[in-house]
Amino acid sequence: MIPITQTKVVVENSKGEVVQRGNCYAACIASLLEVPITEVPNVEVFYHLDTGYHTEVMLTFLSSKGWDLCTDDRYGIFHKPKENWDDNEKKIVDEIVGNYYLVSGKSARGVSHICIYQNGQLLHDPHPTREGLQTIEYFQTLEKLGL
């Protein structure tokens, strides 16, 4: 993983309307793939469509590179107190410890954001402020195709 900073941040006009969307998602994917952000599709231009098209574009790109993006709720275990882990959860931790994963939620700026975590700790926030997330909504991983 090579930390890459997003090149676009959310900009709102005086009415609170978003006039530019951020590319934190592309920055996280670029970081995990260890490629320049310019090699990752600018999917933020499709967010306003609210059709899931941005996901389709990213999945097609990842597939062309031999990767898949998977939702994986197992990583939620790292975000609850260790003393509450049962035996099954301890086995899950043994399977996923050390892996990088994406966490989506709300930033301190009040917008949807995504960061890279490892073992429950923020590893990389692509936003220039590096403030991380205020809420956690879901978890994703990159998985190599054909394994």
Side-chain angles (χ1 to χ4, degrees):
M1 199 281 298
I2 297 175
I4 294 177
T5 300
Q6 63 190 84
T7 56
K8 298 176 190 171
V9 297
V10 173
V11 176
E12 296 178 344
N13 64 19
S14 61
K15 298 177 187 173
E17 301 164 330
V18 174
V19 294
Q20 176 177 278
R21 289 167 173 73
N23 64 346
C24 56
Y25 185 28
C28 283
I29 297 297
S31 297
L32 291 173
L33 295 181
E34 300 182 351
V35 300
I37 195 169
T38 54
E39 289 187 22
V40 179
N42 298 321
V43 295
E44 72 279 353
V45 300
F46 302 116
Y47 291 164
H48 71 285
L49 298 177
D50 200 27
T51 61
Y53 185 66
H54 69 282
T55 301
E56 183 180 333
V57 170
M58 188 61 79
L59 289 174
T60 300
F61 165 75
L62 288 169
S63 178
S64 76
K65 300 292 184 188
W67 294 93
D68 191 15
L69 182 68
C70 304
T71 299
D72 195 335
D73 293 333
R74 296 179 303 163
Y75 289 90
I77 187 68
F78 289 121
H79 300 270
K80 70 184 232 184
K82 231 180 194 180
E83 58 271 8
N84 293 347
W85 293 355
D86 62 29
D87 288 341
N88 186 48
E89 290 170 323
K90 289 175 185 172
K91 288 178 188 174
I92 290 170
V93 167
D94 289 341
E95 294 171 11
I96 63 175
V97 70
N99 295 347
Y100 301 125
Y101 59 100
L102 300 168
V103 179
S104 295
K106 295 290 183 194
S107 73
R109 299 166 305 283
V111 297
S112 294
H113 192 49
I114 192 165
C115 295
I116 300 171
Y117 279 69
Q118 184 180 45
N119 303 334
Q121 300 297 312
L122 175 64
L123 189 64
H124 175 56
D125 178 350
H127 192 273
T129 64
R130 309 288 191 243
E131 293 175 316
L133 297 170
Q134 297 293 305
T135 65
I136 292 177
E137 295 174 13
Y138 60 94
F139 308 95
Q140 296 174 300
T141 60
L142 285 184
E143 302 291 334
K144 195 75 174 147
L145 292 172
L147 294 179

